[in-house]
Amino acid sequence: MTEVVDEWIHRYRPYDVICALEPTLTEERRARIERVLAERLSGLTVVIENLHDPHNGAAALRSVEACGLCELHVVEASEPFRFSARVSQGCEKWVSIRRHADFARCAKELHERGFALYAAVPGAERTLHELDVSRPAALVFGNEHAGLTQSAVEACDGTFGIPMHGFTQSLNLSVSVAISVFDCAKRRRLALGREGDLPAEHELRLRARFCALSLDERAAEGLVA
């Protein structure tokens, strides 16, 4: 369904898609879409390099979407990004999954968009809470077994660690993503002084996408065709 919707957004103007589909939605659904759009953050994202466990992939997706982020970037240099549909429970359709063949290309795209990249590494001097999220930031996580590659760390603008106060000194990947995204999303909203940061054009495209995804495929095809 998401592929069909993305094709519609390219084929028709987002405004036309909204005009065609929005009247078919319930008042409650329209209100839900408006609330989610108002709280969406385009200036905070997550990058995962060479994810291994699809359950971790699904859990990371849920955290990214639940905290209001627009995208998840995945680097598939040695392993494809997979996620368990049973765990994700459909949340993936509300988030854009951006796939990259190697970390260098991912870093180049994000840097060109104005993002600073921060790598999660053990023993980093700077903590998660010290990251500057007043500017666009990408939180970068590595493989569950090997962590981030050295070339990925070197391509980032800095490193960070998650403070731990017990005997345990490491966390599951999906838990690390959840903690980091929750903290940085909260602090970015405080820094901005508002809940979301979507530019007008991006908000329009997402509104069209959310309207289409709120319908079943056959109904949406008949309304937009």
Side-chain angles (χ1 to χ4, degrees):
M1 180 59 179
T2 54
E3 291 81 5
V4 173
V5 167
D6 290 337
E7 183 181 340
W8 289 338
I9 303 303
H10 284 295
R11 187 187 309 171
Y12 304 97
R13 293 187 306 167
Y15 177 79
D16 293 334
V17 174
I18 294 166
C19 289
L21 300 184
E22 197 170 50
T24 70
L25 303 179
T26 65
E27 182 178 341
E28 291 76 14
R29 190 59 176 181
R30 292 196 300 270
R32 178 72 176 274
I33 289 173
E34 292 305 310
R35 181 185 67 77
V36 170
L37 286 170
E39 298 177 1
R40 263 315 193 239
L41 292 174
S42 62
L44 180 65
T45 192
V46 167
V47 180
I48 300 178
E49 183 188 38
N50 299 326
L51 179 93
H52 177 71
D53 187 343
H55 287 81
N56 277 331
L61 269 169
R62 289 183 68 174
S63 295
V64 164
E65 201 286 319
C67 290
L69 277 58
C70 297
E71 298 176 344
L72 172 66
H73 291 259
V74 295
V75 177
E76 302 174 307
S78 63
E79 294 201 53
F81 177 77
R82 298 169 297 140
F83 58 89
S84 165
R86 184 176 63 83
V87 176
S88 70
Q89 297 186 8
C91 75
E92 63 274 8
K93 71 181 182 179
W94 308 112
V95 177
S96 294
I97 301 175
R98 306 290 296 271
R99 299 177 183 271
H100 306 270
D102 57 65
F103 194 88
R105 296 183 205 183
C106 177
K108 182 176 185 295
E109 177 188 319
L110 288 169
H111 279 142
E112 287 176 348
R113 291 169 54 187
F115 281 82
L117 278 66
Y118 300 112
V121 299
E125 292 186 5
R126 178 166 43 184
T127 71
L128 167 68
H129 311 312
E130 296 174 296
L131 296 181
D132 179 11
V133 291
S134 63
R135 61 168 294 189
L139 309 176
V140 183
F141 300 87
N143 181 281
E144 298 94 323
H145 305 300
L148 282 166
T149 59
Q150 187 59 35
S151 59
V153 175
E154 291 172 357
C156 291
D157 302 287
T159 62
F160 73 94
I162 298 173
M164 298 180 207
H165 306 285
F167 291 108
T168 299
Q169 291 300 298
S170 64
L171 295 169
N172 174 273
L173 171 65
S174 62
V175 174
S176 297
V177 170
I179 291 172
S180 301
V181 169
F182 182 85
D183 177 84
C184 289
K186 179 180 179 180
R187 291 193 296 110
R188 179 159 176 79
R189 291 184 171 106
L190 287 172
L192 293 170
R194 60 186 187 277
E195 291 300 301
D197 65 1
L198 288 180
E201 184 179 348
H202 193 175
E203 181 178 330
L204 189 69
R205 291 199 309 272
L206 274 185
R207 180 178 283 105
R209 195 171 193 268
F210 290 170
C211 285
L213 288 170
S214 294
L215 299 173
D216 68 70
E217 186 171 347
R218 285 179 298 175
E221 279 181 341
L223 287 163
V224 178

